[in-house]
Amino acid sequence: MTSYQTTYLKDYQPANFLVETVNLTFDLAEDKTIVTAVIDFHKNAQNQSTERQLRLNGEKLILRTIKLNNKELPASEYSVTDKELTLLQPPENFTLTLVTEIEPQNNTELTGLYKSNAMFCTQCEAQGFRRITYFLDRPDVMARYTTKIIADKTHYPILLSNGNLVDAGDLADNKHFVVWEDPFRKPSYLFALVAGDLECLTDQFITQSGRDVALKIYVETGNRDKAYHALYALKQAMRWDEINFGREYDLDIYMIVAASDFNMGAMENKGLNIFNTKYILADPNMATDDDYQAIIGVIGHEYFHNWTGNRVTCRDWFQLSLKEGLTIFRDHEFTGDMTSLVANRIKNVRQLRAYQFAEDAGPMAHPVQPDSYIEINNFYTTTIYEKGSEVIQMMKTLLGKEGFRLGMDLYFERHDGQAATIEDFVKAMEDANHFDLTQFRLWYKQAGTPRLHITRHYSPANKEYTLTIKQICPQTPGQKDKKPFHIPIAMSLVDRTTGQELTLKVKNTDTKKTTKQILELKETTQTFIFSDIPQEPVPILLENFSAPVHLDIKLSEEELSILMMHANDLFSRWEAAQTFFLQIINQMIENYQHNQNFSLTPKFIAALKANLTNTDLDPAFITEMITLPSERYICGMQTKIDIDAIHHSRRFILKTIAQALSGEFLQIYQNNSDHTAYKIDQTSIKKRQLKNLCLQYLMLVEQPGYTELCLNQYQQSNNMSDRISALHGIINSPYPQKKDCLADFYLNWKHEPLVVDKWFSLQAMSNRPDAFDEVLKLTKHEAFTIKNPNRVRSLIGAFSSNNLFHFHRADGAGYEFLANYIIQLNSLNPQIASRLLEPLTNWRQFDAARQDLMKQQLKRIGAVSGISDNVYEVITKCLQ
């Protein structure tokens, strides 16, 4: 175990050498690939160490040739291990020529250069380039790259890399070559290469300055017509970034390639993005409305990285949220503008609470800027991404829209072409706005989710309303005592009769009198007094979720009903529904634990009905309003998790609502049914999503007429959204022919891998009593393979992360099942193995029996010989 090394932020030093240019030649073949790298090094004046040696990262490489200034380097002047190549006494300026041999066809870890089906492709973030050649594989070493690719012309007619195509031609033995030159300096993690027999969808984009950019999306043969939506999303993202951030694309060509085997969603390599096919391919027969909207978000995300990640990159991996949190923020803003602002914000908050809050509450808790890691791939987390985005959102709340834009402009002006830090970003925001963010920086340094305790008092005599807010942040690993955060609390007060917002001002401050205020909480406890309040109001706190915190405030059923039915701010309506629901289910959990009956207050149903039947509301908002929190979301809001109580309580609430509002659900289903040609405009998508949620409620009533309705939709639908929704309702019902429907679906769609993924996931997340047994059977199915990340996520991941009741079986069989696959994947694909561990990480929050069972499996995994850095780090932190 002593061989596992920890990297610390405090130990950061600039590289002792820098790189000017990198000239790469790839000779691609089926048995092996030969890589020739010619690299110009020079001593880094900013490195003050006396270190003479140059240590280059390298993994799974065979070194065939090494030359310094075009002369063979004697063995006495270098050393090679399985992790690095060390030049013992290099000169201050020199050219290094390396010839390495690699085997992409045997690379199951999908990092570096590997094969996806018959296509060569790369994934170099975070540390994959070291599997291509020996290099200073760190983000602060930036260079200009020229890449020559040689391959068989028949099998690999398309040869791509970063930048602009500068040369191409034919060679002997049916081979050909291309040369790509990237004019911009970049770190090695942004290098990309693709070679394959691919189809291309082309278009162009005229930038705001009048430049013509060629757009090309490459897909496997037969998938070209499924890339039109991705192309549409790309053009929208390019225009949006020009309008909202003044950022124009900088190359003459922008390329995207869709790969079937990919560990992540997509990768922003400069000018040559490589995407998981899931976020490129779509047509009505194989993609759902959610898929179409996800493509918009991911396409936008990777494009926005061109400036927040590529033009300005991160100095080291401790700054990862500088590019990821900031770009998530940008893609959230873009997706909201493209779809529905309020519905998109609600979805983002759901995601944060279900996943990031749980991460903050467990052994894997870490700050947005971590201070150490063993395996950097383990820090591609919801804290880095989603919480990092929320920190940016808080800055925008504090500085205002115009002030935030000023800060962004200054950041780009100062750091274009540089490897920057989180501190550089915050400093730009400060300097552009003359705003002190000293205390705010704690959001980057301190882990955990702060909890705000609210007490309130109304004085009829003085007509004053007082809010006292106390912030507490629990201990997290390595951080016992927390300093107070700087927390922006967007709020309003509403009339308890009409729900209308009151005009208000914070007493003894220079704030303007308005209906909305931003309270800046900086102390452990602060009191805010509002004057001239005619009667006791109902408070709305954290409007639009202005800070990623838990909010403890006791609101009555009457107050919550008022907010749910009358609040002008739609996010606050939804938040009131969440608060009301959690109060109800927490009481039901207690009842379950004491063998008492369940009951659901009519006020909650009435408030839901008021929104459901309000034709003035956006259907996307109504869909979110009547979507109850998932079991995972509920668990994320609990200190101790009673999964049986949560499951049965939630099912009771769902069925009670379904029974009480079945007439309304049926009417809305019928009103929103559209039998014309499928359309993907936002109006049609919103109506379909609402209709299909109503269908799910109707199927809970378990009446033959609703089952027939669902079966008819499955058989007659002209799009995957309706078809998959109907299949979901059928397989979770007592309908006796559900297996026939599943078999029919697979028979019709087995040729579409992404649809088969959906088929696996539907069954993995089923509520039926035999769900676990069916998952076991599916692991033996002809379409299941452990080597494809999408397929693993669709079955193993979907079951363990999203079917909590069945995964957390009392006998521990779910834990053993997951552990078996983690052990297998540890040697095949450690990144996927470590990510699958997540459902076991919060084992201390469960009952004693389940704790013991989970702990047994964690220890079992940890005892595996040759355990990877990825898995070792998670296991170690979980068991500390």
Side-chain angles (χ1 to χ4, degrees):
M1 293 300 182
T2 56
S3 65
Y4 297 95
Q5 296 184 349
T6 301
T7 302
Y8 295 94
L9 172 59
K10 63 181 177 61
D11 294 336
Y12 170 81
Q13 291 290 332
N16 61 345
F17 282 81
L18 294 177
V19 178
E20 281 298 316
T21 60
V22 181
N23 285 272
L24 298 168
T25 300
F26 290 81
D27 193 345
L28 304 175
E30 302 309 307
D31 57 340
K32 62 188 175 184
T33 290
I34 304 300
V35 181
T36 301
V38 181
I39 310 167
D40 292 324
F41 287 95
H42 68 269
K43 199 81 170 77
N44 184 6
Q46 293 185 345
N47 182 290
Q48 302 300 315
S49 73
T50 58
E51 175 72 45
R52 286 293 309 276
Q53 297 181 344
L54 171 58
R55 301 177 186 276
L56 302 179
N57 309 109
E59 294 178 4
K60 300 193 175 182
L61 302 174
I62 297 174
L63 179 62
R64 294 178 55 162
T65 303
I66 177 169
K67 294 180 180 180
L68 194 148
N69 292 333
N70 210 31
K71 293 183 180 180
E72 292 280 351
L73 195 64
S76 61
E77 296 186 19
Y78 70 93
S79 65
V80 181
T81 70
D82 61 352
K83 292 291 185 180
E84 63 184 20
L85 164 66
T86 303
L87 303 187
L88 301 178
Q89 288 189 320
E92 291 195 353
N93 297 278
F94 64 96
T95 298
L96 188 68
T97 301
L98 301 167
V99 179
T100 55
E101 178 183 319
I102 55 178
E103 297 181 346
Q105 71 278 6
N106 296 325
N107 183 353
T108 63
E109 296 183 35
L110 311 186
T111 179
L113 179 66
Y114 68 94
K115 293 199 77 172
S116 173
N117 294 334
M119 176 177 71
F120 285 95
C121 64
T122 56
Q123 172 56 35
C124 291
E125 187 177 358
Q127 296 174 339
F129 192 76
R130 63 188 61 184
R131 294 190 170 201
I132 292 172
T133 190
Y134 293 98
F135 199 72
L136 282 168
D137 193 9
R138 46 188 288 172
D140 59 348
V141 175
M142 303 171 70
R144 290 184 175 87
Y145 286 70
T146 300
T147 305
K148 182 176 183 179
I149 310 170
I150 302 168
D152 181 87
K153 192 173 184 178
T154 302
H155 293 101
Y156 307 103
I158 302 297
L159 305 176
L160 309 173
S161 191
N162 311 83
N164 298 313
L165 183 65
V166 295
D167 198 6
D170 292 333
L171 299 170
D173 300 324
N174 197 43
K175 289 188 175 184
H176 68 142
F177 78 93
V178 297
V179 179
W180 292 84
E181 188 177 85
D182 190 343
F184 294 96
R185 297 174 67 86
K186 67 172 179 281
S188 56
Y189 82 85
L190 289 174
F191 173 79
L193 177 152
V194 169
D197 185 2
L198 305 170
E199 293 183 332
C200 183
L201 179 63
T202 62
D203 203 340
Q204 65 176 16
F205 180 82
I206 307 300
T207 69
Q208 59 186 358
S209 66
R211 290 177 49 252
D212 190 345
V213 179
L215 307 180
K216 297 189 176 186
I217 299 182
Y218 291 91
V219 296
E220 293 179 348
T221 302
N223 287 329
R224 183 179 179 276
D225 290 344
K226 299 172 186 172
Y228 279 99
H229 182 67
L231 184 60
Y232 161 79
L234 175 59
K235 295 176 75 171
Q236 293 296 318
M238 296 176 81
R239 184 66 69 208
W240 185 91
D241 210 20
E242 290 181 342
I243 294 169
N244 289 276
F245 287 96
R247 299 298 106 191
E248 183 176 303
Y249 186 62
D250 50 7
L251 289 171
D252 296 331
I253 186 171
Y254 190 94
M255 299 176 287
I256 293 174
V257 177
S260 299
D261 301 281
F262 206 69
N263 282 340
M264 295 183 275
M267 179 61 208
E268 71 268 18
N269 317 297
K270 182 70 179 179
L272 178 57
N273 292 178
I274 300 178
F275 271 63
N276 191 318
T277 52
K278 180 177 181 179
Y279 298 109
I280 291 292
L281 305 182
D283 69 25
N285 287 319
M286 53 85 68
T288 65
D289 293 330
D290 288 342
D291 293 329
Y292 277 102
Q293 293 188 330
I295 287 170
I296 287 173
V298 179
I299 287 281
H301 182 97
E302 304 309 325
Y303 175 75
F304 300 144
H305 263 312
N306 190 59
W307 278 92
T308 49
N310 296 2
R311 286 286 289 259
V312 184
T313 193
C314 49
R315 185 196 71 179
D316 54 75
W317 292 120
F318 297 103
Q319 320 297 327
L320 181 57
S321 194
L322 175 67
K323 75 182 189 76
E324 295 301 348
L326 179 54
T327 306
I328 281 283
F329 165 80
R330 277 153 52 73
D331 93 51
H332 283 175
E333 298 260 299
F334 167 65
T335 305
D337 286 346
M338 290 286 290
T339 56
S340 164
L341 282 172
V342 66
N344 188 62
R345 184 59 178 149
I346 288 169
K347 289 175 182 177
N348 296 336
V349 172
R350 284 190 195 277
Q351 176 83 0
L352 187 83
R353 286 174 171 165
Y355 292 88
Q356 197 282 319
F357 278 19
E359 189 168 86
D360 255 350
M364 297 304 293
H366 59 274
V368 174
Q369 184 180 43
D371 53 18
S372 68
Y373 64 81
I374 292 176
E375 170 52 63
I376 183 55
N377 286 306
N378 286 337
F379 279 99
Y380 284 74
T381 63
T382 54
T383 297
I384 299 295
Y385 281 68
E386 306 298 336
K387 188 173 182 179
S389 170
E390 293 299 322
V391 174
I392 304 294
Q393 180 70 51
M394 284 190 286
M395 282 193 217
K396 183 179 179 183
T397 299
L398 289 168
L399 301 175
K401 183 177 180 179
E402 292 182 2
F404 182 76
R405 173 64 188 270
L406 288 173
M408 289 293 294
D409 289 346
L410 182 59
Y411 171 66
F412 292 130
E413 179 185 331
R414 284 179 174 176
H415 302 291
D416 186 14
Q418 297 179 9
T421 66
I422 286 171
E423 174 58 26
D424 292 331
F425 179 80
V426 179
K427 191 70 168 62
M429 288 291 164
E430 277 186 323
D431 292 350
N433 292 278
H434 307 289
F435 192 98
D436 185 4
L437 290 168
T438 301
Q439 185 178 354
F440 186 85
R441 287 171 170 83
L442 290 172
W443 281 104
Y444 286 106
K445 300 294 185 182
Q446 293 184 161
T449 305
R451 186 171 290 275
L452 305 187
H453 297 277
I454 313 295
T455 55
R456 52 197 175 121
H457 174 72
Y458 178 68
S459 170
N462 299 327
K463 293 186 177 180
E464 289 185 342
Y465 187 75
T466 302
L467 287 174
T468 299
I469 308 176
K470 180 179 181 181
Q471 61 166 299
I472 299 172
C473 189
Q475 296 182 17
T476 51
Q479 294 185 339
K480 182 178 180 181
D481 299 316
K482 306 294 178 71
K483 296 178 181 179
F485 288 88
H486 182 180
I487 305 176
I489 303 172
M491 56 83 61
S492 59
L493 301 177
V494 302
D495 184 279
R496 63 175 50 246
T497 303
T498 65
Q500 296 300 305
E501 294 174 349
L502 304 175
T503 301
L504 56 120
K505 183 180 183 298
V506 183
K507 188 176 180 181
N508 299 323
T509 69
D510 57 0
T511 56
K512 295 180 180 179
K513 197 167 186 178
T514 181
T515 57
K516 297 186 183 295
Q517 294 282 342
I518 306 294
L519 307 181
E520 294 189 41
L521 181 65
K522 293 185 175 182
E523 306 297 332
T524 301
T525 303
Q526 276 179 255
T527 296
F528 302 90
I529 301 173
F530 302 90
S531 305
D532 300 321
I533 305 300
Q535 61 176 326
E536 183 174 5
V538 181
I540 297 177
L541 302 177
L542 295 178
E543 284 192 350
N544 206 41
F545 203 61
S546 61
V549 300
H550 288 289
L551 188 63
D552 292 338
I553 182 171
K554 294 182 179 179
L555 295 173
S556 67
E557 290 185 0
E558 179 186 1
E559 289 173 321
L560 290 169
S561 296
I562 290 169
L563 296 181
M564 283 179 68
M565 291 189 285
H566 300 296
N568 290 332
D569 179 72
L570 293 183
F571 181 88
S572 298
R573 286 198 190 194
W574 175 81
E575 186 71 300
Q578 303 302 289
T579 303
F580 205 161
F581 174 85
L582 288 172
Q583 287 185 10
I584 291 168
I585 203 163
N586 286 338
Q587 181 59 57
M588 286 188 178
I589 291 170
E590 188 176 331
N591 291 351
Y592 182 89
Q593 292 166 343
H594 293 87
N595 296 316
Q596 296 174 350
N597 293 330
F598 293 153
S599 63
L600 181 58
T601 174
K603 289 183 178 179
F604 183 67
I605 296 176
L608 283 182
K609 180 179 178 180
N611 285 274
L612 179 64
T613 57
N614 187 340
T615 55
D616 293 331
L617 293 175
D618 181 358
F621 170 73
I622 297 175
T623 300
E624 296 300 331
M625 193 68 174
I626 63 173
T627 299
L628 295 191
S630 66
E631 290 180 7
R632 173 148 198 149
Y633 181 105
I634 299 164
C635 288
M637 307 298 283
Q638 306 290 314
T639 303
K640 278 292 182 181
I641 298 171
D642 185 335
I643 194 64
D644 298 312
I646 289 171
H647 175 76
H648 292 295
S649 300
R650 183 176 180 274
R651 293 294 292 174
F652 174 84
I653 295 172
L654 282 168
K655 289 190 173 185
T656 302
I657 292 170
Q659 290 280 358
L661 301 179
S662 59
E664 287 77 9
F665 288 135
L666 180 59
Q667 186 64 54
I668 292 171
Y669 176 86
Q670 293 170 338
N671 291 345
N672 287 277
S673 293
D674 184 355
H675 302 293
T676 61
Y678 176 80
K679 297 184 287 293
I680 58 169
D681 61 277
Q682 286 303 309
T683 298
S684 300
I685 287 175
K686 291 173 183 180
K687 291 175 65 176
R688 257 191 313 272
Q689 289 175 331
L690 178 57
K691 174 196 74 172
N692 284 323
L693 180 55
C694 289
L695 181 63
Q696 300 308 315
Y697 272 108
L698 290 173
M699 288 300 288
L700 292 172
V701 180
E702 297 182 4
Q703 287 187 10
Y706 298 148
T707 301
E708 190 68 24
L709 192 73
C710 192
L711 187 60
N712 286 340
Q713 177 169 309
Y714 172 76
Q715 294 170 338
Q716 299 171 13
S717 61
N718 63 0
N719 64 84
M720 184 54 69
S721 293
D722 285 348
R723 186 176 296 111
I724 206 80
S725 178
L727 185 61
H728 177 271
I730 289 167
I731 68 171
N732 284 292
S733 74
Y735 181 65
Q737 283 78 41
K738 63 180 110 180
K739 289 190 176 181
D740 294 337
C741 291
L742 283 167
D744 172 78
F745 187 92
Y746 178 73
L747 182 65
N748 285 303
W749 299 103
K750 63 181 181 180
H751 58 286
E752 291 281 5
L754 295 177
V755 179
V756 175
D757 287 339
K758 294 177 174 60
W759 182 77
F760 274 110
S761 291
L762 273 183
Q763 296 172 85
M765 295 187 291
S766 169
N767 286 316
R768 59 191 186 191
D770 61 347
F772 179 61
D773 294 333
E774 290 303 311
V775 167
L776 290 177
K777 292 178 184 177
L778 287 170
T779 61
K780 309 298 182 184
H781 193 275
E782 64 177 8
F784 181 74
T785 171
I786 196 173
K787 293 183 178 181
N788 179 265
N790 282 356
R791 195 54 45 86
V792 171
R793 285 187 284 257
S794 71
L795 183 62
I796 312 300
F799 173 72
S800 57
S801 293
N802 297 305
N803 198 340
L804 301 189
F805 177 66
H806 289 290
F807 173 67
H808 291 286
R809 292 164 54 110
D811 63 2
Y815 310 145
E816 183 179 8
F817 166 79
L818 179 60
N820 289 341
Y821 279 95
I822 291 170
I823 290 170
Q824 289 183 57
L825 283 161
N826 175 70
S827 58
L828 288 172
N829 192 328
Q831 283 190 46
I832 300 300
S834 66
R835 288 171 190 165
L836 283 178
L837 268 164
E838 187 273 334
L840 296 173
T841 57
N842 284 16
W843 59 275
R844 287 183 174 89
Q845 289 183 266
F846 288 81
D847 59 85
R850 286 184 171 90
Q851 284 188 33
D852 288 342
L853 291 167
M854 281 189 267
K855 191 174 180 181
Q856 286 175 25
Q857 296 304 322
L858 288 168
K859 288 183 174 181
R860 176 177 158 234
I861 297 167
V864 169
S865 176
I867 191 169
S868 64
D869 289 2
N870 310 64
V871 174
Y872 169 79
E873 181 173 28
V874 178
I875 293 289
T876 302
K877 290 182 176 180
C878 285
L879 294 176
Q880 282 178 347

